[in-house]
């Protein structure tokens, strides 16, 4: 890659005028009507969104969360022509194991605020210092302070190649990878691309599809229920992905101009994915939404779906790197399908949490990451 390899210190410092503009826009929202007694079946309920928007306007404190993010060292660098923002949280333990964490959509690096401290410094959080990690937490190109992208082609493979370059640039010769949502697609690709350096792969919210309908015949009852969730998602909930994978630019005008429009589009997943299985703290939702609002990257983030669509459903090369999977309520992870693609050596199932496990059950996710990587350090 012919890039400026400089690693530049970075600090978040949003102008007050941008925060004032956000509050002004929220106060002038033009609200739609709503059918009676439909709950979530037509989308995010009006009452729920009004509640979140009012808290965003009058109660949510961006500066507090900005300070939380700035408590972690942050940097930018240029990889493959793209600005890449990342947190680099080095452990005080000299023998800590390097680990790259990749967020999902509609998230950001703020997904990992609750797990970063315990993973990097377990001694300070009541854990075993032997479980410490040096953490690299990048913003996916197009998201937040890694956005917007400036050219086509930033698909999953290209992001994974950028991550391999980033870890090399930071001097990490042997490291682990973790991800959920998009991170559970980018991290496996990173492992295949850089298998000589990735010692272990850990994921949550991982989905693999059957290659033949006959495969479903040998599944357990619990596995069949998870497979049914995939089918229901495709029938009832995949509209957002179809739009983002075909017309992201058309969608971008609404997302980048209307904070409530972006809030609704994001809350559909942050809130409803947690509905009944692990409700998410409003501040956690709003920190991710606000970060992408203030950077104007909701439209740019959606482009990842357009770039990646060509690879959906395509068979992938088996990855021999040891893999750990954490399954939370609502996940559609089916072990036989995962084992077709990965050497699964660690499997955990939990009764609380959800799709955004780092936000919904950070203690469980932290513990599972620690347990898995003890096998491969």
């Amino acid at each position: 890659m012919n890039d400026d390899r400089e690693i530049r210190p970075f600090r978040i410092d949003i102008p007050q005028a941008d925060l004032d503009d956000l509050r002004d826009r929220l106060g002038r929202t033009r609200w739609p009507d709503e059918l009676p007694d439909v709950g979530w079946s037509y989308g995010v309920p009006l009452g729920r969104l009004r509640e979140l928007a009012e808290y965003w306007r009058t109660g949510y404190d961006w500066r507090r969360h900005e300070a939380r993010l700035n408590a972690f060292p942050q940097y930018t660098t240029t990889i493959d022509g793209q600005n890449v923002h990342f947190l680099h949280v080095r452990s005080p333990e000299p023998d800590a194991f390097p680990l790259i964490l990749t967020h999902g959509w509609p998230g950001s690096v703020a997904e990992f605020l609750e797990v970063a401290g315990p993973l990097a410094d377990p001694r300070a959080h009541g854990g075993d210092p032997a479980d410490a990690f040096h953490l690299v937490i990048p913003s996916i190109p197009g998201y937040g302070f890694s956005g917007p992208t400036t050219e086509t082609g930033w698909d999953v493979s290209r992001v994974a190649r950028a991550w391999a370059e980033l870890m090399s640039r930071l001097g990490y010769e042997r490291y682990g990878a973790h991800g959920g949502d998009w991170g559970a697609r980018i991290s496996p690709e990173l492992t295949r691309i850089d298998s000589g350096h990735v010692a272990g792969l850990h994921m949550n919210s991982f989905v693999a599809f059957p290659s033949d309908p006959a495969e479903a015949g040998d599944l357990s009852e619990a596995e069949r229920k998870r497979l049914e969730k995939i089918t229901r998602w495709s029938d009832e909930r995949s509209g957002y992905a179809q739009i983002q994978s075909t017309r992201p630019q058309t969608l971008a005008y609404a997302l980048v101009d209307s904070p409530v429009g972006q809030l609704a589009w994001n809350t559909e997943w942050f809130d409803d994915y947690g509905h009944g299985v692990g409700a998410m703290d409003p501040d956690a939702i709003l920190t991710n939404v606000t970060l992408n609002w203030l950077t104007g990257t909701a439209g740019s983030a959606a482009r990842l779906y357009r770039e990646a669509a060509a690879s959906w459903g395509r068979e992938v090369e088996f990855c021999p790197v040891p893999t750990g999977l954490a399954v939370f309520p609502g996940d559609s992870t089916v072990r036989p399908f995962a084992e077709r693609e990965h050497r699964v050596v660690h499997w955990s199932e939990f009764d609380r949490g959800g799709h955004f496990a780092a936000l919904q059950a950070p203690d469980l996710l932290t513990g599972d990451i620690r347990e898995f990587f003890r096998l491969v350090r």
Side-chain angles (χ1 to χ4, degrees):
M1 298 181 180
N2 186 22
D3 285 322
D4 174 7
R5 295 174 58 86
E6 180 186 6
I7 294 174
R8 302 171 290 272
F10 180 84
R11 183 174 178 82
I12 303 171
D13 186 15
I14 299 298
Q16 184 59 42
D18 291 356
L19 300 178
D20 294 341
D21 174 71
L22 170 59
R23 291 193 181 92
D24 179 64
R25 287 170 181 261
L26 288 168
R28 293 185 294 107
T29 300
R30 184 183 184 193
W31 292 99
D33 67 330
E34 180 183 48
L35 292 172
D37 305 320
V38 296
W40 282 86
S41 63
Y42 278 61
V44 184
L46 179 61
R48 173 56 175 160
L49 205 66
R50 278 186 175 274
E51 175 188 24
L52 268 178
E54 182 61 16
Y55 176 62
W56 198 10
R57 187 178 72 88
T58 63
Y60 173 77
D61 184 359
W62 164 257
R63 292 300 187 198
R64 180 166 72 88
H65 295 284
E66 182 182 72
R68 287 187 71 202
L69 284 161
N70 281 331
F72 298 108
Q74 297 174 61
Y75 304 87
T76 61
T77 191
T78 304
I79 301 177
D80 198 8
Q82 174 68 33
N83 179 66
V84 173
H85 162 261
F86 62 99
L87 280 60
H88 190 193
V89 188
R90 289 190 61 85
S91 172
E93 307 296 338
D95 296 327
F97 188 66
L99 177 65
I100 184 168
L101 306 175
T102 304
H103 64 83
W105 181 90
S108 69
V109 294
E111 281 186 38
F112 297 113
L113 281 176
E114 298 297 328
V115 302
L119 288 175
D121 192 4
R123 188 192 301 269
H125 293 82
D128 185 345
D131 287 327
F133 296 93
H134 296 310
L135 300 177
V136 178
I137 310 175
S139 300
I140 297 172
Y143 289 64
F145 297 106
S146 284
T149 47
T150 58
E151 60 183 5
T152 60
W154 276 100
D155 59 7
V156 168
S157 293
R158 190 170 177 183
V159 175
R161 290 193 298 272
W163 280 192
E165 169 63 19
L166 176 61
M167 295 304 278
S168 174
R169 197 171 291 187
L170 293 173
Y172 293 131
E173 291 296 316
R174 186 173 182 271
Y175 62 94
H178 163 80
D181 193 85
W182 272 119
R185 296 197 63 185
I186 294 167
S187 299
E189 188 67 11
L190 168 61
T191 303
R192 293 183 179 93
I193 287 170
D194 204 23
S195 60
H197 298 100
V198 181
L201 167 66
H202 185 275
M203 295 178 285
N204 66 280
S205 65
F206 173 77
V207 177
F209 297 91
S211 58
D212 187 317
E215 287 184 303
D218 296 325
L219 299 180
S220 69
E221 182 179 354
E223 289 168 341
R224 282 196 296 272
K225 287 181 178 179
R226 288 181 187 147
L227 182 58
E228 289 170 3
K229 288 179 184 177
I230 299 175
T231 303
R232 286 199 303 272
W233 177 90
S234 180
D235 292 343
E236 302 173 8
R237 304 298 304 279
S238 63
Y240 82 100
Q242 293 296 325
I243 292 171
Q244 295 191 157
S245 65
T246 56
R247 313 303 289 174
Q249 185 63 31
T250 303
L251 176 65
Y253 300 108
L255 297 183
V256 176
D257 185 61
S258 168
V260 165
Q262 188 197 317
L263 179 63
W265 195 247
N266 294 172
T267 299
E268 172 76 20
W269 296 102
F270 279 138
D271 213 13
D272 198 19
Y273 253 143
H275 189 58
V277 296
M280 200 176 297
D281 179 74
D283 275 43
I285 296 173
L286 290 173
T287 297
N288 283 280
V289 174
T290 306
L291 195 155
N292 286 312
W293 168 263
L294 293 171
T295 55
T297 54
S300 176
R303 289 201 286 263
L304 180 57
Y305 285 78
R306 177 70 171 83
E307 301 293 349
S311 66
W312 288 358
R314 183 181 299 170
E315 288 192 24
V316 297
E317 175 187 353
F318 180 79
C319 181
V321 172
T323 298
L325 290 166
V327 183
F328 292 87
D331 283 348
S332 300
T333 309
V334 178
R335 184 163 187 166
F337 303 157
E339 289 178 333
R340 192 180 60 237
E341 299 181 4
H342 296 278
R343 182 158 71 94
V344 178
V345 300
H346 173 88
W347 178 274
S348 300
E349 297 187 20
F350 300 99
D351 60 5
R352 64 177 173 88
H355 183 84
F356 297 98
L359 291 170
Q360 293 169 287
D363 57 331
L364 297 181
L365 184 63
T366 296
D368 204 64
I369 290 173
R370 288 172 175 170
E371 184 178 348
F372 167 69
F373 280 103
R374 289 174 194 145
L375 303 174
V376 300
R377 283 176 178 266

